[in-house]
Amino acid sequence: MATVHQARISPLLPTTSWTLEHGTLVEQRGGKVRRFPLAELRRLSLTEGLIRADFAKGRVRIPARSFSATGRLEDRRESFSPLAEALAAEGAVHAPQLSLGQASPQGAEMVIWTIALCGAGAVAVMAAAAMIGAWSLGLALAARLVFVLILALAALPWIGRGRLTAN
């Protein structure tokens, strides 16, 4: 019997369906279908409301919550939990090299994006100031952005500390 979970990831996207059948995880969104053989499963991370499965040829994220037609979030754990259990059980059978663990902290990703955007902003401010001939103003504004960038770089090693990950 196939295990099925459906969720709407975004209010702008159609409903996505994940089916576990015959050693394959099938993701279907609208007319697009992706198939992931469990033999290629490398890492499976389970958290309270998200499954992250890393395969040799891609990554799948399966949320427990879904957007309703009105745009509100609704909990779909009644189909999410059986899929998570079946995926872990069948993944262990089909992929002996599988590593189970908790998902990596998402805070580090946000800090890295902040660093990248502050760096790009500093370069853009300097370029705009150079075009209008206001070097001192551009340097003063870019220095403030670089300061935020340095603070974010200093905080990056401490984000996610204290969490256990099994490899």
Side-chain angles (χ1 to χ4, degrees), residues 5-10 13-18 28-29 61-67 74 76 79-80:
H5 172 64
Q6 292 183 342
R8 196 167 176 192
I9 300 172
S10 165
L13 294 174
T15 301
T16 306
S17 169
W18 295 273
Q28 182 175 2
R29 180 181 306 140
R61 291 185 180 180
I62 305 171
R65 296 177 4 168
S66 174
F67 283 97
E74 55 187 31
R76 297 218 173 151
S79 64
F80 176 79

Side-chain angles (χ1 to χ4, degrees), residues 29 77 101 128 137 142 144 166:
R29 180 181 306 140
R77 291 190 195 279
L137 175 64
R144 285 164 175 77

Side-chain angles (χ1 to χ4, degrees), residues 46-75:
L46 303 168
T47 60
E48 189 72 23
L50 181 71
I51 300 171
R52 185 179 131 188
D54 296 331
F55 291 89
K57 295 181 182 174
R59 177 182 299 161
V60 178
R61 291 185 180 180
I62 305 171
R65 296 177 4 168
S66 174
F67 283 97
S68 66
T70 61
R72 293 182 159 217
L73 282 172
E74 55 187 31
D75 197 15

Side-chain angles (χ1 to χ4, degrees), residues 102-127:
Q102 294 177 345
S104 61
Q106 298 297 320
E109 245 178 69
M110 291 188 299
V111 171
I112 290 171
W113 273 103
T114 301
I115 291 168
L117 291 174
C118 283
V123 170
V125 165
M126 286 299 294

Side-chain angles (χ1 to χ4, degrees), residues 145-166:
L145 283 172
V146 170
F147 180 70
V148 172
L149 185 144
I150 292 169
L151 288 176
L153 275 171
L156 191 58
W158 282 273
I159 294 177
R161 275 205 176 170
R163 292 186 181 199
L164 297 175
T165 30

